[in-house]
Amino acid sequence: MLTLSSKDNINIKNTVKLLNNAKFRRKTGLFVAEGLRVCYDAFLSGADIDTVFATQGALDKHPEKIGELCEKSDRAFIVTNEIFSHISDTQTPQGVLCVIKTLDKVTEFDKIKNGGKFIALENIQDPNNLGTVLRTAEAFGVSAVVVTSDCCDIYNPKVVRGSMGAVFRLPFYTVSGIAQFLSENPDLTSYAAVVDKDAEPITNISFAKSSVAVIGNEGNGLTESAVNACNHKITIPMGGKAESLNASAAASIIIWEMVK
């Protein structure tokens, strides 16, 4: 492993850009995963690791796992604690970070949709919400997650970290819009999650064998076109004074009801 000690090194500069710039991630086909557990999940999932950065302290503490990451990567560097803090996106860095090539694991939707249960997300903007939805969807066996192109970047470091490795294992599909996606997949029974007294309580729903639950933006919910494109409107009954739930909390409840 080579040692890097300058912030001006091109590998360091590019990693900082990958952390902060979705356009650069798309252009290069690279994204960042930070933390030993997330990086090792990427390794176990067969992700293509471009670069490994590790501090000497992390290497001394986890020599076997970091060694495996380095063997799988195109290049690997030891960096000072100061340099690692510069490329880190966390408050308490663990000293391990990987640059990973964009995942090439998405199969054609038609191949897996029959009999599947799906979550579709429209214009979700909080990367923590998206990461949590991916993590929950994988935990409960959702077939795949569909995201509209106006959602936050699925390769945002906070999404990758918050998904706890689900981003490496769970199929996901980016679509231009919910209405078009549903029109192209008429065999899926669709359920729009709304805050509406006329919607069917989710506790009364028996989800179809092939179904997709659609969840909208944190502040504005689903667009009218998305709601109108769905077969059913569903709502989560609430007894308190809150008018709505956080998007990831709502998704977690809906996922549980879909797969139980």
Side-chain angles (χ1 to χ4, degrees), residues 38 127-128 130-135 157-165:
V38 175
N128 294 312
L130 182 52
T132 298
V133 173
L134 293 173
R135 182 180 181 181
K158 290 183 174 63
V159 176
V160 175
R161 189 164 60 251
S163 77
M164 294 302 290

Side-chain angles (χ1 to χ4, degrees), residues 137-215:
E138 187 202 19
F140 289 103
V142 169
S143 301
V145 171
V146 176
V147 295
T148 57
S149 56
D150 56 4
C151 284
C152 65
D153 183 16
I154 204 162
Y155 294 118
N156 180 298
K158 290 183 174 63
V159 176
V160 175
R161 189 164 60 251
S163 77
M164 294 302 290
V167 71
F168 303 116
R169 298 181 292 268
L170 182 68
F172 56 84
Y173 306 89
T174 301
V175 299
S176 59
I178 294 297
Q180 181 178 341
F181 165 73
L182 293 178
S183 69
E184 293 172 352
N185 296 277
D187 55 326
L188 285 175
T189 303
S190 51
Y191 304 83
V194 297
V195 180
D196 188 334
K197 63 181 181 180
D198 295 325
E200 185 74 14
I202 192 172
T203 48
N204 296 347
I205 298 294
S206 295
F207 285 90
K209 183 179 178 182
S210 296
S211 58
V212 55
V214 187
I215 297 164

Side-chain angles (χ1 to χ4, degrees), residues 10-189:
I10 189 62
N11 294 283
I12 300 300
K13 286 185 174 181
N14 284 342
T15 301
V16 172
K17 289 180 70 174
L18 289 172
L19 282 172
N20 301 312
N21 193 317
K23 183 181 292 186
F24 189 65
R25 290 193 290 269
R26 290 191 294 270
K27 178 181 176 181
T28 59
L30 300 170
F31 66 101
V32 171
E34 184 180 350
L36 181 62
R37 178 173 177 178
V38 175
C39 290
Y40 201 68
D41 275 344
F43 165 77
L44 293 176
S45 302
D48 196 346
I49 301 173
D50 180 83
T51 310
V52 175
F53 297 97
T55 62
Q56 187 62 55
L59 185 59
D60 291 342
K61 190 174 182 179
H62 306 286
E64 292 185 6
K65 288 187 175 180
I66 294 177
E68 289 181 277
L69 293 175
C70 293
E71 288 179 9
K72 180 71 181 295
S73 68
D74 293 344
R75 51 191 158 270
F77 301 103
I78 294 175
V79 297
T80 64
N81 290 335
E82 180 183 4
I83 295 297
F84 195 89
S85 295
H86 185 61
I87 61 175
S88 172
D89 189 50
T90 63
Q91 292 184 344
T92 54
Q94 296 179 0
V96 183
L97 182 149
C98 288
V99 175
I100 300 173
K101 296 177 184 178
T102 301
L103 305 173
D104 186 19
K105 65 179 182 61
V106 179
T107 58
E108 289 295 326
F109 189 75
D110 287 344
K111 295 180 180 178
I112 68 169
K113 69 183 179 182
N114 291 333
K117 301 289 179 67
F118 303 89
I119 290 291
L121 305 174
E122 183 185 47
N123 195 25
I124 296 296
Q125 294 302 300
D126 188 335
N128 294 312
N129 280 337
L130 182 52
T132 298
V133 173
L134 293 173
R135 182 180 181 181
T136 305
E138 187 202 19
F140 289 103
V142 169
S143 301
V145 171
V146 176
V147 295
T148 57
S149 56
D150 56 4
C151 284
C152 65
D153 183 16
I154 204 162
Y155 294 118
N156 180 298
K158 290 183 174 63
V159 176
V160 175
R161 189 164 60 251
S163 77
M164 294 302 290
V167 71
F168 303 116
R169 298 181 292 268
L170 182 68
F172 56 84
Y173 306 89
T174 301
V175 299
S176 59
I178 294 297
Q180 181 178 341
F181 165 73
L182 293 178
S183 69
E184 293 172 352
N185 296 277
D187 55 326
L188 285 175
T189 303

Side-chain angles (χ1 to χ4, degrees), residues 230-246:
C230 290
N231 303 121
H232 306 280
K233 292 194 296 183
I234 59 173
T235 192
I236 299 172
M238 293 183 291
K241 294 184 179 180
E243 294 182 357
S244 62
L245 291 172
N246 173 280

